[in-house]
Amino acid sequence: MINDQGHGYAIVADDILVVERGMDAADVIESFVRTRERHPDGPALFHSRWATHGTVTVDNCHPFQIGNDRKTVLAHNGVLPAALQPVRGDNRSDTRVLAEDYLPAQPLGPLSNRRSRARLAKMITASNKLVILTVNRRYRYNVYLINETSGLWHDGIWYSNNDFRSGLSQYAAGTAWDGVCWCCEQVDTLVDDRYCRVCGACAECMTWSGVCDCYEQYLRDRWPTEPASA
């Protein structure tokens, strides 16, 4: 498994949201299959984590409850903008910060509103994908996909990336990731083995060029002397 740093799922079971998280993939998958067999009709999500921010613990496993709303959760794929990343000393993931701090304050408006969701999609940029699952009656539907077109549908299932495709599992071996962007998974797009020319992701610190932790060092390494003044 490529993402092996925590797992979780949520299933809409009539008017109840069944949620479970854990560190052992086999246990969580087995539980998901059993629960899904009992509740085969409602929308469901499954998430496996690759930790870009926050400690590797169950508390940082997706999905996350949005604020105090026990009937609504979200899962996320990508790396959120710097403003949503945890500050120094905060052991939470960026997604957890989004769910616990940012969205409950409703800076974009209530997520039950279509325009608010559109603003959220624009704010997190197209490289980030969110799934919102809810049984809260304030929402018209049980599931919402933020940046749906950045993922893909296959056999009735929406995937946030290409990991499920034949051959991509080889990258889990480690060195086979060389030359493959961790974010958009395009091959041979890394400039100087660091920045993806397609999406701009940094392979060193797994954020975005221009805002990543190592960007200034990258500039110093590539251009060690300042250009002469005109």
Side-chain angles (χ1 to χ4, degrees):
M1 177 172 287
I2 296 176
N3 297 355
D4 62 351
Q5 296 176 316
H7 316 273
Y9 68 81
I11 299 174
V12 173
D14 298 322
D15 59 347
I16 297 174
L17 198 59
V18 180
V19 180
E20 184 171 330
R21 303 183 295 173
M23 301 304 296
D24 186 276
D27 288 346
V28 180
I29 292 172
E30 182 180 353
S31 174
F32 174 78
V33 171
R34 289 197 310 266
T35 306
R36 191 59 169 157
E37 288 175 346
R38 294 195 301 268
H39 306 286
D41 298 325
L45 70 83
F46 193 98
H47 183 280
S48 291
R49 183 184 181 219
W50 181 14
T52 56
H53 297 87
T55 52
V56 179
T57 62
V58 172
D59 289 341
N60 279 328
C61 291
H62 306 220
F64 297 99
Q65 177 179 306
I66 298 180
N68 295 321
D69 185 358
R70 296 183 179 181
K71 297 183 177 182
T72 306
V73 298
L74 66 79
H76 162 243
N77 181 22
V79 177
L80 292 169
L84 295 173
Q85 293 173 14
V87 299
R88 187 181 300 274
D90 188 342
N91 291 325
R92 296 178 298 170
S93 70
D94 53 351
T95 313
R96 190 174 163 193
V97 171
L98 175 72
E100 294 181 351
D101 296 349
Y102 187 81
L103 293 180
Q106 296 190 353
L108 307 172
L111 290 179
S112 55
N113 183 281
R114 179 179 58 82
R115 291 184 178 179
S116 297
R117 294 192 300 274
R119 286 191 285 266
L120 173 61
K122 182 178 180 180
M123 183 201 69
I124 64 176
T125 73
S127 61
N128 285 276
K129 287 83 70 174
L130 292 175
V131 178
I132 299 173
L133 220 58
T134 183
V135 292
N136 191 319
R137 293 186 178 181
R138 289 181 296 182
Y139 294 82
R140 183 176 181 181
Y141 302 106
N142 292 126
V143 60
Y144 297 89
L145 302 177
I146 308 299
N147 287 329
E148 177 181 357
T149 56
S150 295
L152 66 161
W153 285 94
H154 180 75
D155 290 343
I157 300 174
W158 183 81
Y159 295 87
S160 63
N161 58 34
N162 292 317
D163 288 358
F164 73 97
R165 289 188 181 276
S166 176
L168 281 179
S169 60
Q170 64 180 307
Y171 299 133
T175 57
W177 273 107
D178 290 347
V180 179
C181 175
W182 63 270
C183 181
C184 68
E185 298 178 355
Q186 298 298 309
V187 180
D188 295 329
T189 64
L190 300 185
V191 178
D192 292 345
D193 294 325
R194 185 166 298 197
Y195 293 109
C196 175
R197 65 171 59 90
V198 174
C199 71
C202 173
E204 188 72 21
C205 65
M206 298 181 184
T207 51
W208 312 113
S209 61
V211 298
C212 73
D213 297 335
C214 51
Y215 184 65
E216 291 184 3
Q217 183 61 50
Y218 168 71
L219 294 180
R220 288 194 294 268
D221 291 344
R222 192 166 187 181
W223 296 286
T225 59
E226 294 191 13
S229 300

